[in-house]
Amino acid sequence: MAVEEEGLRVFQSVRIKIGEAKNLPTYPGPNKMRDCYCTVNLDQEEVFRTKIVEKSLCPFYGEDFYCEIPRTFRHLSFYIFDRDVFRRDSIIGKVAIQKEDLQKYHNRDTWFQLQHVDADSEVQGKVHLELRLSEVITDTGVVCHKLATRVLECQGLPIVNGQCDPYATVTLAGPSRSEAKKTKVKKKTNNPHFDEVFYFEVTRPSSYNKKSHFDIEDVDEVDKMEIRVDLWNASNLKFGDEFLGELRLPLKFLRQSSSYEAWYFLQPRDNGNKSLKPDDLGSLRLNVVYTEDHVFSSDYYSPLRDLLLKSADVEPVSASAAHILGEVCREKQEAAIPLVRLFLHYGRIVPFISAIANAEVKRTQDPNTIFRGNSLTSKCIDETMKLAGMHYLQVTLKPIIDEICQVHKPCEIDPVKLKDGENLENNRENLRQYVDRIFTVITKSGVSCPTVMCDIFFSLRESAAKRFQGDPDVRYTAVSSFIFLRFFAPAILSPNLFQLTPHHPDPQTSRTLTLISKTIQTLGSLSKSKSANFKESYMATFYDYFNEQKYADAVKNFLDLISSSGRRDHKSIEQPILLKEGFMIKRAQGRKRFGMKNFKKRWFRLTNHEFTYQKSKGDHPLCSIPIENILAVERLEEESFKMKNMFQVIQPERRVLYIQANNCVEAKDWIDILTKVSQCNKKRLTVYHPSAYLNGHWLCCKATADNTPGCTPCTGGLPANIQLDIDGDRETERIYSLFNLYMPKLEKMQEACGSKSVYDGPEEEEYSTFIIDDPKETYKTLKLIIEGVGTLEQEHAQYKRDKFKKTKYGSQEHPIGDKSFQTYIRQQSEISAHSI
């Protein structure tokens, strides 16, 4: 979801690898060990939680998390919790990275010291204030100064223990006085509207003095006075109300202006506590990749996009814009991700991959090494399989992977690693059964393989067979090196990275999956000497079970099927595919005439057939909504029920299911996938009500009839293909950013083209890393790329200048206290000075 700004859209995303923690403080008990997990938070909102690692002070998590960020945020935070069976889990420490500091750690493994956490430092949100300092002349002719403090509203306050009932205290404080006043409590909202005014007498009545506006004896005291606004959550607990944040403003700045209205970020409370040394709490290893794309309207990208999309037709393909991107990027993966998404979006992925694969095959000398390197071709096919094949994996592997993770059968076949009481032969039999079942389900899944993957495999097979006509097996190994080696085997090895499991498996399960993955990889390789593929003698012995011709025949039949052009209709098989599941809170739909429409926690489950909920996972569904009955899925305004992260599933006869997700990322994910899976419904609505129908009327448009058509247009449609929800303009912007980042290499490549054109001798060493088959054509393309990138760079610079001119410090978008805005002002000042 993009944050809309004037003239462009801003996309934010973050990819996080949570590695491990080390040297956590010991538990104050006889055991000393802890059961720890780590959470990822946008400010105070939890969006991801790792598995619990038991009995360790150096827990290894090894988990990856990716999300699109649907709102603004100030900090990306990580909390280490210690599970407590009897009480609330306790926080050991945290890592908080300010948004503007994320680029410092971009894509680098970094150890962060854990910091202490206390209620006074855990703040978020902003407050809108108006201050007015006035002179009041009394009937006797003397003057006093009064301060009017108007607390208008707050936004984005934290939700504490599932609720937020905020109020504000306003205090005028000085060296010798303190006067406090309090707003009313606003129930069930973290965006309260107060609009209350409080009056304070600042100076004692004195004779009127035009010079200073203050009686001379009060000047020093007024200079030391401040107005303090504290936000609190009204709690029913015996521990008292929870602190949400504060703001301190010295009165002396009001001398310059009698009235001042602005938004302010709430700040932590400075309570004078001395923190312990940072290394007392241990440290956490993280790798964070934060991306922010500023995307213009589509016409801005036409020249660069058109240049990229014709890459498949350029002769030779090494002179194309897409191939050049792969040459200049530090890692091929950087180029492959946006290229594949762009070509998929415009239906050009098969001809593009066919062209670069054909060029790579021509450069390959040995058929045994075909597609074995980390080339642009390999990375592009990997990325295509990840995008287009995700649900293919779900159908094929998920049921048996779930069973392996849940049952925990012993499968260790290394005699050295056997546990006490385990039998080697029993373990071999357990492992053999698992391998047999997975092998069978893979080799019988050819009819379900996505069309785009099959078309690519057909192209690979044809190119390899034509290049190495004397090798009858190369048409199989060209395909198996991807489908087995780079698709099924990695998915079995790390199912969490392919959305087959929510977390990295436990050590025993991980070991079982490693052994299965090794065997499946070898079965799919069709190499002549299978046992020689294993360094370990126990693996070679185990593989003897599979040294039968029927396994090789099954692999070849499978590879023939998925690499044959026009082999079958890919929609002929329609199995239920589990798309998403998890706990959420729903409001009763009113299917019964009488009864409370209350909120209840339920387990929701979405397949490509139906959307259901039940009391707990595995229970019989209490309600089932066929996908064809989902007419719209839209956000619900918070004011409807005073609850955040709510959305609505609209059904026939205007029946609406109101649902609250756990956080903003979960809400976005559910809305997106429900919208995508129901996109082709013929009766989809074009308008909806953004608020609920309560107390006899719609809160949004005030219409009284519950069957009144919606008052707001539904959000834009999404592609029906769940995997391919791609924004072409965003991907072109990413490619522009990469070209801009690697501009020195583009210029170096231009030099290499010139050098090759005039000097036909041995290559200079600094140019030898580039593949340049046709210097003249490559130079032409490079020139067009540099021109296109330069034009876009000018547009971005102009947008920043225009935005800077329109931005007001203290506005709702840029509250006072936002370090990132101050950094922005400094950068713009430097740019302006440089241009002058």
Side-chain angles (χ1 to χ4, degrees):
M1 179 181 294
V3 177
E4 296 286 341
E5 289 186 6
E6 192 175 330
L8 88 173
R9 296 168 295 148
V10 180
F11 293 89
Q12 305 173 103
S13 63
V14 66
R15 188 180 302 278
I16 300 163
K17 292 182 180 179
I18 303 172
E20 60 189 308
K22 68 178 181 182
N23 301 329
L24 299 181
T26 57
Y27 185 77
N31 187 11
K32 298 189 182 299
M33 294 291 107
R34 294 182 182 270
D35 300 340
C36 296
Y37 61 91
C38 178
T39 68
V40 180
N41 295 54
L42 293 174
D43 298 319
Q44 301 302 305
E45 183 179 15
E46 181 183 320
V47 295
F48 177 71
R49 179 179 295 199
T50 69
K51 67 179 182 297
I52 297 170
V53 177
E54 297 181 342
K55 298 177 183 177
S56 175
L57 298 179
C58 296
F60 176 80
Y61 297 108
E63 301 214 25
D64 289 45
F65 171 66
Y66 171 84
C67 76
E68 298 282 331
I69 301 175
R71 63 171 177 84
T72 58
F73 69 101
R74 292 168 68 190
H75 292 89
L76 181 65
S77 302
F78 304 84
Y79 292 80
I80 299 290
F81 283 85
D82 184 16
R83 180 183 60 180
D84 194 313
V85 178
F86 302 106
R87 296 174 296 174
R88 187 187 301 171
D89 296 349
S90 58
I91 300 176
I92 295 173
K94 73 170 182 179
V95 172
I97 309 172
Q98 289 189 333
K99 179 183 175 180
E100 57 271 18
D101 291 335
L102 286 169
Q103 286 304 319
K104 292 181 187 175
Y105 310 106
H106 183 80
N107 204 16
R108 288 190 358 238
D109 273 8
T110 308
W111 284 98
F112 294 89
Q113 294 292 336
L114 291 174
Q115 304 296 323
H116 286 274
V117 176
D118 59 75
D120 290 339
S121 67
E122 297 295 281
V123 303
Q124 71 176 57
K126 52 192 175 184
V127 59
H128 189 191
L129 291 183
E130 182 181 359
L131 303 174
R132 183 179 295 276
L133 188 63
S134 307
E135 288 180 343
V136 179
I137 304 175
T138 66
D139 294 339
T140 60
V142 294
V143 177
C144 67
H145 294 83
K146 290 196 174 180
L147 176 68
T149 303
R150 184 183 178 196
V151 184
L152 289 104
E153 61 179 310
C154 293
Q155 284 192 351
L157 299 178
I159 295 173
V160 183
N161 299 328
Q163 59 103 40
C164 190
D165 298 334
Y167 68 90
T169 60
V170 183
T171 306
L172 180 66
S176 58
R177 62 183 290 192
S178 180
E179 184 181 354
K181 299 182 180 182
K182 175 183 169 183
T183 68
K184 294 176 182 175
V185 175
K186 298 294 179 180
K187 291 283 188 182
K188 294 183 180 178
T189 178
N190 67 336
N191 296 316
H193 289 260
F194 296 111
D195 202 6
E196 296 188 41
V197 184
F198 303 98
Y199 295 95
F200 299 92
E201 192 174 280
V202 177
T203 59
R204 297 191 301 274
S206 64
S207 56
Y208 185 70
N209 182 340
K210 280 189 178 179
K211 261 189 179 178
S212 68
H213 286 211
F214 292 100
D215 187 16
I216 197 72
E217 63 179 338
D218 293 317
V219 170
D220 290 341
E221 185 166 327
V222 170
D223 275 351
K224 295 174 183 175
M225 293 175 74
E226 66 178 11
I227 194 79
R228 191 177 78 237
V229 180
D230 294 273
L231 271 295
W232 299 85
N233 178 43
S235 173
N236 296 322
L237 301 174
K238 61 181 179 180
F239 305 110
D241 297 347
E242 290 103 346
F243 174 76
L244 300 180
E246 74 170 14
L247 174 67
R248 293 171 179 259
L249 295 171
L251 284 196
K252 59 185 177 183
F253 85 95
L254 288 177
R255 289 192 186 186
Q256 307 299 322
S257 170
S258 59
S259 177
Y260 199 89
E261 178 186 346
W263 284 85
Y264 302 85
F265 275 124
L266 292 170
Q267 303 296 334
R269 182 163 55 186
D270 181 12
N271 56 12
N273 284 352
K274 294 181 180 178
S275 63
L276 300 174
K277 293 179 182 177
D279 56 0
D280 287 346
L281 296 177
S283 53
L284 179 65
R285 180 167 60 86
L286 301 168
N287 186 304
V288 179
V289 177
Y290 171 73
T291 306
E292 191 173 294
D293 296 319
H294 294 76
V295 181
F296 293 110
S297 57
S298 191
D299 52 302
Y300 283 81
Y301 298 104
S302 293
L304 182 59
R305 181 177 58 239
D306 293 346
L307 188 64
L308 288 160
L309 289 176
K310 70 176 187 180
S311 293
D313 305 319
V314 173
E315 283 289 344
V317 73
S318 60
S320 68
H323 194 278
I324 287 170
L325 180 66
E327 289 298 291
V328 298
C329 282
R330 188 178 65 181
E331 295 177 2
K332 303 295 184 191
Q333 184 80 358
E334 276 185 298
I337 291 172
L339 284 175
V340 164
R341 295 175 71 86
L342 180 73
F343 284 114
L344 274 170
H345 182 70
Y346 288 100
R348 298 285 295 157
I349 191 65
V350 176
F352 170 64
I353 287 182
S354 297
I356 59 174
N358 196 43
E360 183 174 331
V361 168
K362 286 178 181 177
R363 289 193 296 269
T364 304
Q365 301 303 316
D366 182 355
N368 294 316
T369 62
I370 194 165
F371 301 127
R372 290 299 168 97
N374 287 321
S375 63
L376 182 64
T377 306
S378 298
K379 291 299 182 184
C380 283
I381 296 175
D382 287 352
E383 192 61 27
T384 304
M385 291 191 299
K386 266 189 183 177
L387 284 169
M390 198 60 75
H391 292 129
Y392 177 37
L393 283 177
Q394 296 272 334
V395 171
T396 311
L397 293 182
K398 186 169 173 56
I400 191 165
I401 294 288
D402 284 346
E403 181 187 326
I404 292 168
C405 292
Q406 290 163 12
V407 176
H408 289 99
K409 280 186 182 179
C411 294
E412 182 55 70
I413 57 172
D414 182 355
V416 178
K417 294 182 179 179
L418 277 185
K419 294 179 182 176
D420 291 340
E422 287 185 354
N423 181 282
L424 185 60
E425 285 307 314
N426 289 344
N427 287 9
R428 278 180 182 155
E429 181 57 22
N430 290 338
L431 185 62
R432 188 193 66 77
Q433 288 180 9
Y434 278 145
V435 170
D436 239 340
R437 287 172 59 191
I438 287 181
F439 177 81
T440 301
V441 81
I442 288 173
T443 52
K444 289 188 175 178
S445 70
V447 73
S448 303
C449 186
T451 304
V452 68
M453 288 171 60
C454 295
D455 290 343
I456 289 169
F457 294 151
F458 173 73
S459 173
L460 299 181
R461 169 181 170 148
E462 294 298 297
S463 291
K466 187 177 179 182
R467 172 76 174 85
F468 300 104
Q469 296 180 14
D471 189 332
D473 287 333
V474 74
R475 62 198 181 110
Y476 295 116
T477 54
V479 178
S480 69
S481 63
F482 286 104
I483 195 70
F484 281 102
L485 186 68
R486 306 174 84 114
F487 187 63
F488 283 121
I492 296 165
L493 185 65
S494 304
N496 55 307
L497 300 184
F498 291 80
Q499 299 174 23
L500 296 173
T501 60
H503 299 296
H504 187 71
D506 61 80
Q508 181 184 328
T509 305
S510 186
R511 174 65 176 162
T512 299
L513 294 174
T514 300
L515 295 171
I516 295 171
S517 179
K518 279 185 175 183
T519 314
I520 291 294
Q521 184 175 316
T522 306
L523 278 167
S525 69
L526 291 172
S527 60
K528 307 290 188 298
S529 175
K530 304 283 179 129
S531 300
N533 288 343
F534 298 110
K535 297 176 185 175
E536 310 93 341
S537 58
Y538 61 85
M539 282 300 299
T541 304
F542 173 69
Y543 197 81
D544 287 341
Y545 286 121
F546 305 99
N547 264 331
E548 295 181 38
Q549 189 59 37
K550 67 175 183 178
Y551 290 102
D553 292 343
V555 170
K556 286 184 176 181
N557 290 338
F558 169 67
L559 295 175
D560 277 334
L561 182 58
I562 65 170
S563 62
S564 299
S565 183
R567 74 214 182 294
R568 83 290 184 260
D569 177 11
H570 70 283
K571 293 181 180 177
S572 60
I573 300 294
E574 185 64 18
Q575 291 178 266
I577 303 169
L578 178 63
L579 303 176
K580 190 170 177 64
E581 60 181 345
F583 275 114
M584 291 191 288
I585 294 170
K586 65 95 189 175
R587 181 178 185 261
Q589 298 181 77
R591 292 192 305 277
K592 297 177 183 176
R593 183 157 185 174
F594 303 102
M596 293 278 291
K597 289 190 177 180
N598 55 354
F599 289 89
K600 291 183 178 178
K601 189 175 183 180
R602 292 289 182 255
W603 182 265
F604 284 81
R605 194 170 188 271
L606 174 67
T607 71
N608 56 336
H609 288 183
E610 60 182 356
F611 182 46
T612 62
Y613 63 77
Q614 52 248 45
K615 279 191 176 181
S616 300
K617 185 175 182 179
D619 289 353
H620 186 74
L622 299 171
C623 173
S624 172
I625 304 172
I627 295 301
E628 57 268 23
N629 282 357
I630 298 177
L631 306 185
V633 184
E634 299 288 346
R635 292 187 178 277
L636 187 72
E637 290 181 354
E638 183 182 333
E639 292 308 309
S640 296
F641 299 107
K642 308 292 185 189
M643 296 167 71
K644 286 175 72 72
N645 305 318
M646 289 203 70
F647 63 94
Q648 50 185 317
V649 179
I650 305 170
Q651 303 158 66
E653 300 175 4
R654 301 284 170 187
R655 193 158 73 226
V656 184
L657 174 61
Y658 296 120
I659 303 172
Q660 183 188 34
N662 298 314
N663 56 60
C664 64
V665 173
E666 274 285 296
K668 178 187 179 300
D669 287 349
W670 276 106
I671 292 169
D672 283 353
I673 199 161
L674 280 163
T675 301
K676 291 169 199 170
V677 80
S678 61
Q679 191 64 47
C680 292
N681 290 352
K682 294 176 182 176
K683 295 182 180 179
R684 277 188 66 83
L685 300 178
T686 56
V687 291
Y688 78 106
H689 291 285
S691 293
Y693 183 81
L694 294 174
N695 303 322
H697 69 276
W698 292 99
L699 298 181
C700 42
C701 59
K702 310 304 178 190
T704 54
D706 62 354
N707 61 352
T708 303
C711 57
T712 302
C714 287
T715 50
L718 296 163
N721 188 329
I722 293 164
Q723 294 81 29
L724 307 184
D725 174 22
I726 294 167
D727 187 310
D729 295 334
R730 183 183 182 184
E731 301 310 325
T732 313
E733 170 65 27
R734 291 293 312 134
I735 292 169
Y736 147 75
S737 299
L738 288 170
F739 275 136
N740 200 32
L741 177 65
Y742 293 109
M743 184 59 71
K745 277 198 170 183
L746 287 172
E747 291 166 349
K748 184 71 71 179
M749 201 170 180
Q750 270 191 320
E751 291 176 18
C753 289
S755 174
K756 278 202 165 195
S757 296
V758 299
Y759 176 62
D760 199 22
E763 279 188 294
E764 292 186 38
E765 190 175 342
E766 61 176 329
Y767 302 145
S768 61
T769 56
F770 300 124
I771 295 175
I772 302 174
D773 297 319
D774 187 328
K776 206 169 185 179
E777 284 300 316
T778 306
Y779 188 89
K780 282 183 189 174
T781 307
L782 283 163
K783 188 179 178 184
L784 291 171
I785 291 169
I786 292 169
E787 286 173 1
V789 169
T791 303
L792 280 169
E793 177 65 12
Q794 288 175 7
E795 296 291 350
H796 277 286
Q798 185 61 48
Y799 173 80
K800 287 177 184 175
R801 286 193 292 269
D802 293 344
K803 182 181 177 184
F804 178 68
K805 288 175 186 175
K806 295 174 185 176
T807 301
K808 180 187 172 187
Y809 190 43
S811 64
Q812 187 173 354
E813 294 78 19
H814 299 282
I816 294 171
D818 183 5
K819 181 182 168 186
S820 62
F821 182 74
Q822 293 165 337
T823 304
Y824 178 67
I825 289 176
R826 189 167 61 251
Q827 287 173 343
Q828 290 304 310
S829 301
E830 290 169 2
I831 290 168
S832 300
H834 180 70
S835 62
I836 291 168

